[in-house]
């Protein structure tokens, strides 16, 4: 028996180090390929990556809560619209080249995702020494999920936080647990992750108090302590929400317009496929395995012994129900009467799902493992298959047909454009058509257009005048801009919601109709277009030159307002 324990521990240690090696190989391309590395575009290259560079070059990294960013939307963008200077990812992009910083963020996030899930499973879920393989593989697959990179440990750090909270509750490993919940806020976000975790911990504490009839002060104080740290780090968001009286584009957010039928459909879409910011690759292996384990539990009538398993199933589904019904049209009157329900996205409790799903995966594998000896082989096969279905989600594979980092930002091409214009970039304003304004921003241009979820409502209305004739042609674009407005872009009816026209594109805008007087009044002088504009002269635009380089994804048509 003693030899079996030693063998199990040795095997688990080997699996652990193999997993670390796999994580290292997973992120290695960023460091090897550099600017030729591929990465997510949506909510990443089209926004956050450029934001870090703009912030670092603005001189306002440590600016006051009243400071603005001069380069964006005529200086109307508040410093508070960008991440706090206390975020770890901001510091990475401050001290390292962008792709290296991005790779380090991937490495840090995935390592602590693996470690946190492993510690949680080992101590509180899959406790048997012989089940080391299940613990390791569940933790590894969790760490390889295609998470939203700019969230850092916002979702991937939840197992580590839960491990720490349970330790504190049980008076075990208290010091290291307090250190954990102290440091985690510096590498995760409150609004985009841990608000939902900590409020869930509040519910857990309340239920625990009622169940054991004791105050459980350690748990309460730990939850409050971590919340206070987050509020201190994200003081900019707090100042903007509480002390600013200026209306922002969030005031016109209107998301509750789904019919009852669409809401029911969204429940199952979110349950099976998930959300783009917390993808789990749940549908191919984990879902059928968890349902198979549920059949075994039903056949064995072991509901009482598998309370955690049943609870995970129910919670996973209910989170999708909550997410879908948040966008149900029946909410609209209440959201319109209570401002915080409109400006803050309470649907994001689905950020808890990655942690829940991979704990469910581990427990499901354990049920199969224990059921019959022949099912142990099936459990191993399912575990390996989950790693297999995650491999295509690696950014170098998934985005291989998209532009690389260097092709996307096209630094040489935009340097040539700046040289051609021949004036200090702060002396004129540009806007983009057919490509994301983040590209011009990354290259130092001062832009009238932007992608931000927090800017003055007055600027949104002012910018709308430029694109009003195009929005009048396209109800979908008008609704997209008017009821959200996070993308304050030069929308064109003929292009729709597409901003990725490569240099090989044959698309031509035939009938552009912009209010160029409004554009000029805002300081606009140049249009950077990824496609030619047939009726440029009718829009007071003169084609200056066409720019194209081998290492850029774009062909840029530079138009000047005349």
């Amino acid at each position: 028996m003693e030899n079996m324990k030693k063998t199990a521990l040795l095997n688990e240690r080997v699996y652990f180090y193999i997993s670390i090696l796999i994580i290292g190989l997973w992120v290695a391309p960023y460091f090897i390929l550099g600017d030729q590395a591929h990465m997510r575009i949506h909510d990443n290259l089209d926004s956050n990556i450029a934001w870090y560079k703009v912030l670092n070059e603005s001189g306002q990294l440590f600016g006051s809560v009243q400071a603005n960013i001069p380069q964006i939307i005529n200086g109307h963008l508040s410093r508070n619209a960008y991440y706090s200077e206390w975020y770890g990812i901001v510091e990475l992009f401050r001290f390292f080249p962008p792709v290296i910083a991005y790779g380090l963020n991937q490495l840090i996030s995935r390592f602590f995702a693996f470690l946190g899930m492993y510690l949680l499973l080992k101590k509180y879920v899959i406790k048997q020494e012989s089940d080391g393989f299940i613990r390791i593989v569940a933790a590894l697959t969790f760490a390889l999920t295609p998470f939203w990179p700019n969230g850092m440990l916002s979702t991937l750090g939840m197992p580590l936080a839960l491990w720490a909270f349970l330790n504190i509750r049980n008076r075990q490993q208290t010091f290291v647990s307090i250190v954990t919940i102290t440091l985690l806020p510096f590498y995760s976000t409150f609004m985009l992750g841990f608000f939902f975790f900590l409020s869930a911990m509040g519910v857990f504490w309340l239920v625990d108090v009622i169940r054991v009839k004791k105050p459980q002060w350690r748990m309460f104080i730990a939850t409050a302590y971590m919340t206070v740290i987050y509020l201190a780090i994200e003081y900019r968001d707090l100042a903007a929400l509480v002390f600013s009286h200026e209306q922002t584009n969030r005031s016109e957010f209107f998301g509750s317009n789904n019919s009852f039928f669409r809401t029911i459909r969204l429940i199952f879409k979110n349950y099976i496929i998930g959300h783009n910011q917390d993808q789990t690759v749940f549908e191919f292996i984990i879902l059928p395995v968890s349902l198979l384990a549920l059949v075994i539990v039903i056949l064995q009538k072991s509901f009482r012994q598998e309370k955690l398993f049943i609870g995970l199933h129910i919670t996973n589904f209910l989170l999708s129900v909550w997410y879908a019904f948040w966008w149900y049209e029946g909410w609209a009157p209440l959201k319109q009467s209570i401002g915080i329900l409109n400006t803050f996205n309470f649907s994001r409790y689905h950020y808890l799902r990655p942690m829940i799903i991979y704990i469910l995966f581990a427990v499901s594998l354990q049920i199969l493992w224990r059921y019959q000896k022949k099912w142990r082989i099936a459990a191993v096969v399912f575990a390996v298959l989950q790693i297999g279905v995650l491999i295509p989600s690696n950014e170098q594979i998934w985005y291989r047909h998209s532009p690389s980092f260097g092709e996307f930002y096209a630094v040489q091409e935009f340097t040539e454009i700046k040289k051609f214009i021949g004036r200090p970039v702060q002396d004129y304003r540009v806007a983009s058509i057919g490509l994301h304004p983040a590209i011009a921003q990354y290259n130092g241009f001062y832009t009238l257009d932007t992608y931000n979820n927090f800017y003055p409502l007055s600027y949104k209305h002012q910018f709308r005048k430029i694109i009003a004739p195009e929005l009048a042609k396209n109800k979908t674009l008008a609704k997209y801009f008017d009821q959200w407005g996070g993308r304050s872009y030069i929308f064109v009816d003929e292009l729709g919601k597409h901003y990725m026209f490569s240099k090989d594109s044959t698309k031509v805008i035939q009938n552009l109709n912009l209010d160029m007087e409004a554009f000029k009044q805002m300081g606009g002088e140049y249009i950077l277009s990824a496609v030619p504009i047939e009726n440029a002269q009718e829009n007071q635009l003169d084609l200056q030159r066409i720019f194209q380089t081998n290492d850029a994804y774009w062909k840029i048509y530079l138009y000047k307002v005349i």
Side-chain angles (χ1 to χ4, degrees), residues 121-122 124-135 137-138 289 293 296-297 300 305-306 308-309 358-372 375-376 379-380 382-383:
L121 293 175
K122 186 176 179 66
Y124 293 106
V125 184
I126 311 293
K127 303 176 185 178
Q128 289 75 11
E129 292 179 354
S130 60
D131 293 344
F133 175 78
I134 293 174
R135 288 190 288 269
V137 79
V289 168
I296 292 172
V297 169
Q300 293 186 322
Q305 296 93 320
E306 302 295 348
L308 175 62
F309 174 73
Y358 278 86
I359 297 174
L360 176 63
F361 183 43
V363 177
S364 300
L365 291 177
Q366 187 183 53
I367 290 171
L368 265 61
W369 187 273
R370 290 176 177 175
Y371 182 49
Q372 292 177 3
W375 281 95
R376 292 186 178 184
V380 173
F382 286 134

Side-chain angles (χ1 to χ4, degrees), residues 174-367:
T174 302
F175 177 76
V176 71
S177 299
I178 291 174
V179 170
T180 298
I181 66 172
T182 301
L183 296 180
L184 259 176
F186 292 91
Y187 213 80
S188 57
T189 69
F190 186 59
M191 299 297 187
L192 297 174
F194 267 85
F195 168 85
F196 307 99
F197 175 86
L198 288 169
S199 56
M201 284 296 98
V203 173
F204 175 82
W205 167 79
L206 184 60
V207 171
D208 202 28
V209 168
I210 295 170
R211 184 176 61 86
V212 302
K213 295 180 174 57
K214 291 182 180 180
Q216 300 287 36
W217 287 117
R218 290 170 66 88
M219 188 75 168
F220 176 82
I221 293 170
T223 304
Y225 171 70
M226 194 175 190
T227 302
V228 169
I229 295 175
Y230 270 115
L231 294 178
I233 291 171
E234 301 199 13
Y235 70 98
R236 295 183 181 280
D237 283 335
L238 189 64
L241 287 171
V242 177
F243 301 112
S244 176
H245 301 292
E246 181 181 36
Q247 283 193 308
T248 70
N249 62 313
R250 290 176 176 268
S251 304
E252 291 186 341
F253 278 11
F254 187 79
S256 293
N257 51 18
N258 284 349
S259 66
F260 183 77
F261 175 76
R262 288 184 64 187
T263 299
I264 298 301
R265 188 172 62 179
L266 185 57
I267 289 173
F268 291 97
K269 180 182 177 182
N270 182 260
Y271 176 72
I272 296 171
I273 300 174
H275 188 274
N276 77 83
Q277 289 187 346
D278 60 6
Q279 297 176 65
T280 58
V281 194
F282 167 65
E283 61 268 38
F284 302 110
I285 303 298
I286 300 178
L287 176 57
V289 168
S290 64
L291 293 177
L292 180 60
L294 181 61
V295 171
I296 292 172
V297 169
I298 293 171
L299 291 174
Q300 293 186 322
K301 298 180 181 180
S302 55
F303 300 103
R304 288 188 178 181
Q305 296 93 320
E306 302 295 348
K307 288 181 181 178
L308 175 62
F309 174 73
I310 300 299
L312 290 168
H313 262 295
I314 294 172
T315 304
N316 184 32
F317 185 73
L318 289 180
L319 287 173
S320 290
V321 173
W322 171 257
Y323 169 77
F325 270 94
W326 183 255
W327 308 110
Y328 173 53
E329 60 189 4
W331 272 96
L334 186 62
K335 286 185 176 182
Q336 290 172 358
S337 61
I338 303 176
I340 189 66
L341 297 180
N342 208 34
T343 57
F344 189 79
N345 188 353
F346 285 96
S347 76
R348 288 172 171 160
Y349 278 98
H350 63 78
Y351 287 160
L352 296 168
R353 290 189 71 228
M355 175 178 66
I356 290 169
I357 284 171
Y358 278 86
I359 297 174
L360 176 63
F361 183 43
V363 177
S364 300
L365 291 177
Q366 187 183 53
I367 290 171

Side-chain angles (χ1 to χ4, degrees), residues 44-112:
N44 194 39
L45 289 179
D46 69 352
S47 48
N48 292 73
I49 306 300
W51 296 350
Y52 304 136
K53 189 170 186 289
V54 168
L55 179 59
N56 283 326
E57 294 177 353
S58 70
Q60 296 298 332
L61 178 61
F62 298 98
S64 72
V65 292
Q66 287 83 32
N68 291 328
I69 306 296
Q71 188 183 338
I72 313 299
I73 60 175
N74 278 336
H76 291 293
L77 185 70
S78 170
R79 164 65 185 88
N80 303 331
Y82 287 153
Y83 276 180
S84 168
E85 60 270 32
W86 299 109
Y87 279 160
I89 195 169
V90 172
E91 293 303 303
L92 288 178
F93 277 86
R94 182 183 173 197
F95 291 110
F96 294 96
V99 179
I100 300 301
Y102 188 86
L104 288 171
N105 175 55
Q106 287 270 347
L107 180 61
I108 293 167
S109 299
R110 294 188 186 281
F111 172 76
F112 283 102

